[in-house]
Amino acid sequence: MTMSSNQTNIRDMWYTMTGIPGLEEAHIWISIPICFMYLVAILGNTLLLFLIFTERSLHEPMYLFLSMLALADIFLSTVTTPKMLAIFWFQAGGISFGNCVSQMFFLHFIFVAESAILLAMAFDRFVAICHPLRYSTILTPSVIGKMGAAAITRSFFICFPLVFLVYRLHYCGKNIIRHSYCEHMGIARLACDSIKVNIYYGVIVALFSTCLDVVLIIISYAIILCTVFRIPSRDARLKALGTCDSHVCVILLFYTPAFFSFFAHRFGGHSIPLHVHILLANLYVVVPPTLNPIIYGVKTKQIQDRVIQIFYLNKTLC
């Protein structure tokens, strides 16, 4: 059998994901909060989308960006969590190489797109606070649509090379993935040749997409704070800052565990136990999608009023 034929057969074989290494006995207990959070994430973000698209008063740039975030959260949790629960409940960790690569691509694609959406939301707050008189002329529906399309296009061109990077590697029989879902470095480490190119590309992608987004978000909020503190009225300052607190909470919720996972995976070595890293990675794909609609629901009066109106109407009809 030739080497190329052997590699093809290996790629066609099924791989096994182990879930959380070292915590196999606790898989059932771990699955309970993850399943609950997944259901809350789907229901919460679907409700948020429904409210935004059915309530005309919410057809504003901030809420249109929020609808993009809700849609990304639904996809992020759905790409990973059902398979994760199948591993925890039924030990169904088998997955083909092609399906594993597909899950990897969509996971990273959604992550990079969501990072761009958070940057767009920071730009929305920057325009609203620093250039309030030009807000409606700068952030028109056409501009918002183009920003959404740009986020998707950028994410695709950044993440699609990952598919070629894992397919170019030579695989020689290792088929155990010590994780609950497929991601780039997890697949690359199954190869029996050098993965330096994969590591370098992963770092470059992080620097020129996610890290760049974070830098631009920080710059936006630095300018926002300078503008806010020049407002003479204390009440006006607090009101301006109050429009940003939900977004800041979501930013911290999204980026903090993401950067921890990124650096732990590449530079953590043996200082961070593998089960801790994998457990946090599992929580990462369900916790932000679960809490994002709750944060905006609690902090945004228009959304609260609409939810109360819907439930009051249903109660009246009953």
Side-chain angles (χ1 to χ4, degrees):
M1 183 179 290
T2 65
M3 178 65 71
S4 60
S5 175
N6 189 38
Q7 290 165 5
T8 301
N9 289 338
I10 290 170
R11 287 174 182 170
D12 288 343
M13 70 183 288
W14 280 66
Y15 292 78
T16 301
M17 291 187 287
T18 61
I20 305 176
L23 296 180
E24 288 84 0
E25 296 297 324
H27 275 178
I28 292 295
W29 297 106
I30 294 171
S31 71
I32 295 172
I34 288 179
C35 180
F36 175 75
M37 286 187 285
Y38 175 61
L39 293 176
V40 172
I42 296 299
L43 292 174
N45 286 290
T46 301
L47 176 61
L48 200 56
L49 287 169
F50 173 78
L51 294 175
I52 292 171
F53 285 108
T54 57
E55 179 58 44
R56 293 189 63 84
S57 65
L58 298 179
H59 292 179
E60 299 177 7
M62 182 177 75
Y63 300 110
L64 294 178
F65 287 127
L66 181 57
S67 69
M68 296 180 194
L69 182 68
L71 195 60
D73 280 339
I74 290 173
F75 286 136
L76 178 65
S77 55
T78 300
V79 161
T80 54
T81 310
K83 182 62 178 179
M84 189 190 305
L85 293 176
I87 296 171
F88 293 159
W89 290 341
F90 311 113
Q91 293 77 51
I95 189 169
S96 68
F97 185 84
N99 287 339
C100 193
V101 173
S102 297
Q103 187 185 52
M104 174 208 75
F105 168 75
F106 284 111
L107 174 67
H108 293 294
F109 171 80
I110 296 164
F111 176 83
V112 175
E114 189 159 342
S115 178
I117 293 167
L118 290 175
L119 175 60
M121 295 174 79
F123 179 71
D124 168 80
R125 292 299 84 204
F126 165 77
V127 175
I129 293 173
C130 301
H131 303 283
L133 298 179
R134 299 172 55 197
Y135 183 72
S136 59
T137 57
I138 293 176
L139 288 172
T140 62
S142 174
V143 170
I144 294 169
K146 289 176 182 177
M147 291 173 73
I152 293 172
T153 303
R154 185 191 75 153
S155 183
F156 177 82
F157 281 109
I158 285 174
C159 297
F160 194 64
L162 295 175
V163 176
F164 293 100
L165 286 176
V166 294
Y167 265 103
R168 75 175 181 86
L169 295 171
H170 299 156
Y171 299 89
C172 46
K174 291 187 289 185
N175 68 336
I176 302 298
I177 301 174
R178 293 165 65 80
H179 209 310
S180 304
Y181 52 80
C182 298
E183 46 84 39
H184 175 224
M185 291 308 300
I187 298 176
R189 288 201 167 99
L190 294 175
C192 52
D193 55 3
S194 174
I195 59 171
K196 285 185 178 180
V197 174
N198 299 71
I199 295 173
Y200 293 151
Y201 186 77
V203 173
I204 290 170
V205 164
L207 288 176
F208 289 97
S209 60
T210 310
C211 290
L212 181 59
D213 291 344
V214 171
V215 170
L216 293 175
I217 289 171
I218 292 172
I219 292 172
S220 297
Y221 272 99
I223 298 172
I224 287 171
L225 287 174
C226 290
T227 302
V228 167
F229 287 122
R230 285 199 297 265
I231 299 174
S233 169
R234 181 176 181 275
D235 290 340
R237 288 199 300 269
L238 292 175
K239 184 177 179 181
L241 290 174
T243 65
C244 300
D245 54 1
S246 299
H247 184 233
V248 171
C249 290
V250 170
I251 286 171
L252 293 175
L253 197 62
F254 181 79
Y255 286 114
T256 302
F259 279 114
F260 173 83
S261 179
F262 174 81
F263 288 113
H265 206 55
R266 286 162 177 80
F267 310 113
H270 299 290
S271 60
I272 300 173
L274 181 62
H275 67 271
V276 173
H277 177 213
I278 302 302
L279 179 59
L280 291 176
N282 289 352
L283 292 175
Y284 174 70
V285 296
V286 289
V287 172
T290 301
L291 295 182
N292 287 349
I294 295 174
I295 290 170
Y296 272 96
V298 170
K299 295 284 188 179
T300 309
K301 189 175 185 303
Q302 293 95 319
I303 294 176
Q304 289 178 16
D305 292 343
R306 182 59 177 151
V307 171
I308 292 171
Q309 182 184 356
I310 289 175
F311 282 102
Y312 179 77
L313 179 62
N314 289 339
K315 185 177 179 180
T316 303
L317 292 175
C318 292

